[in-house]
């Protein structure tokens, strides 16, 4: 009698297990994001829809996809779902900082410039573009130490200075070799999307080596040869005006980053937007935020935004000297609080930067693309925002990142939107794994690393 009871019980457990396994094997989707408000400017979508993911790709975006078809379902009611953001001004790796930068004999005593690439995941960013931290001489080092190991997608602008930033050679014009720059871009064209010039000769008198446009002209020469855009960090001076940069020197598709920095005459003395900004836009010049530690002033940003001048792309310029800017979500929140719509800002953080770096396959939720997805909560309240001139602006909107998915993997989910309550976790979660043996005490098998 007892035997039959046990036999029946074992059969029941076996059948239940098989049914469960079959159900999972039959699940059409690995992941179903249900009920979120989708903002996908590349596809002109702004509506409550479900998103299904399988094999790391987006496989369906539609109304009311059945939860029974998915192995994992995440309820995102009340939240915004967008393509993973693209931060086109970010810094990773050493730059030109010598590997022995901390020793007495080092050429330069500056610490490495870059922050970890994966820090960007905390802000819904799935693609960062290094803005010229490395040049032709230091790019391989950056690739080995920071690009190849990142979970976030990393692309790069190559500094026209072969050593890159932070190595004490940024003012050495001989370092700016357009030929070597273009050769390096050709060699790594799957990663390098453009050229960067920055910080060139901002104060000292001109001399035979340091002519006003040396860095700009050499960066442009490389950009033309390699057929990629140039990103400009610039300081106007006598004999080197901002108007000449954006109306004469820059080609259509070139990017002026740090547009709301203190040194640019983007407003006329009476406060009206300088017409050169619109003239440059007409020519195809791109304007980027590149907030940074010293490149964002409300006195420029707020009047410009009020007059309808919003930078084409939003970016952070995160680096080790600059934790004041915090994140893409924080920079977007500043513009939200200036009255720019969330839809508009998501466009300027996804499809626009993707176009600027000529990677139109990024920054969309199109079916068939890699499942790079961000989930945000828009909070209302009283928030303070700061700029690089130590002034503040109050606002009543804030964008908070709730989840970041890269190629289908849930890499950031700090409040556990995709996780079960710990008391309800499967038995495996409550077991102590033997040393070196699986299975580990995990509540699910969804890829999260
Ligand atoms: Zn920068």
């Amino acid at each position: 009698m007892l035997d039959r009871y046990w036999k029946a019980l074992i059969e029941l457990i076996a059948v239940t297990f098989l049914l469960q396994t079959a159900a999972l094997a039959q699940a059409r989707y690995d992941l179903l994001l249900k009920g979120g408000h989708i903002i996908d400017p590349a596809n002109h979508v702004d509506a409550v829809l479900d998103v299904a993911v399988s094999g790391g790709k987006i496989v369906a975006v539609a109304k009311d996809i059945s939860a029974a078809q998915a192995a994992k379902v995440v309820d995102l009611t009340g939240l915004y779902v967008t393509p993973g953001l693209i931060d086109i001004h970010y810094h990773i790796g050493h730059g030109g900082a010598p590997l022995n930068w901390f020793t007495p004999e080092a050429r330069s005593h500056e610490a490495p410039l870059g922050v970890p690439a994966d820090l960007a995941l905390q802000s819904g960013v799935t693609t960062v573009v290094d803005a010229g931290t490395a040049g032709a001489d230091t790019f391989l080092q950056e690739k080995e130490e920071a690009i190849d190991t990142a979970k976030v997608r990393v692309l790069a602008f190559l500094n026209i200075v072969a050593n890159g930033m932070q190595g004490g050679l940024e003012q050495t014009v001989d370092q700016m070799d357009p030929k070597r720059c273009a050769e390096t871009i050709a060699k790594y064209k799957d990663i390098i999307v453009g050229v960067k010039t920055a910080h060139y000769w901002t104060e000292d008198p001109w001399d035979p080596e340091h002519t006003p446009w040396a860095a700009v002209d050499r960066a442009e020469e490389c950009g033309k040869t390699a057929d990629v855009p140039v990103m400009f960090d610039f300081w106007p001076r006598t004999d080197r005006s901002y108007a000449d940069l954006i109306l004469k020197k820059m080609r259509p598709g070139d990017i002026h980053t740090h547009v709301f920095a203190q040194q640019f005459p983007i407003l006329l003395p009476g406060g009206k937007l300088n017409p050169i900004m619109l003239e440059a836009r007409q020519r195809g010049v791109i304007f980027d935020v590149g907030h940074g530690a010293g490149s964002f002033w409300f006195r420029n940003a707020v009047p410009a935004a009020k007059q309808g001048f919003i930078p084409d792309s939003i970016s952070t310029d995160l680096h080790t000297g600059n934790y004041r800017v915090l994140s893409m979500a924080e920079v977007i929140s500043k513009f939200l609080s200036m009255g720019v719509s969330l839809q508009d800002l998501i466009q300027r953080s996804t499809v626009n930067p993707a176009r600027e770096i000529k990677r139109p396959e990024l920054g969309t939720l199109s079916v068939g693309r890699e499942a790079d997805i961000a989930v945000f909560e828009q909070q209302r309240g009283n928030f303070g925002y700061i700029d690089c001139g130590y002034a503040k602006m109050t606002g009543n909107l804030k964008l908070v990142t709730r989840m970041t998915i890269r190629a289908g993997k849930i890499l950031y989910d700090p409040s556990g939107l995709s996780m079960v309550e710990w008391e309800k976790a499967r038995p495996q979660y409550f077991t102590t794994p033997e040393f070196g043996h699986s299975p580990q005490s995990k509540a699910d098998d969804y890829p999260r690393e």
Side-chain angles (χ1 to χ4, degrees), residues 46 58 227 283 300 360-361 385:
D46 183 5
I58 292 169
D227 191 26
R283 292 183 63 235
N300 280 342
E361 71 276 16
Y385 295 106

Side-chain angles (χ1 to χ4, degrees), residues 428 431-442:
Q428 184 179 317
T431 60
T432 307
E434 282 180 51
F435 179 75
H437 288 273
S438 302
Q440 292 186 47
S441 306
K442 301 235 169 106

Side-chain angles (χ1 to χ4, degrees), residues 89 91 131 196 258 317:
H89 192 145
H91 291 282
K196 173 83 186 292
H258 305 312
D317 187 19

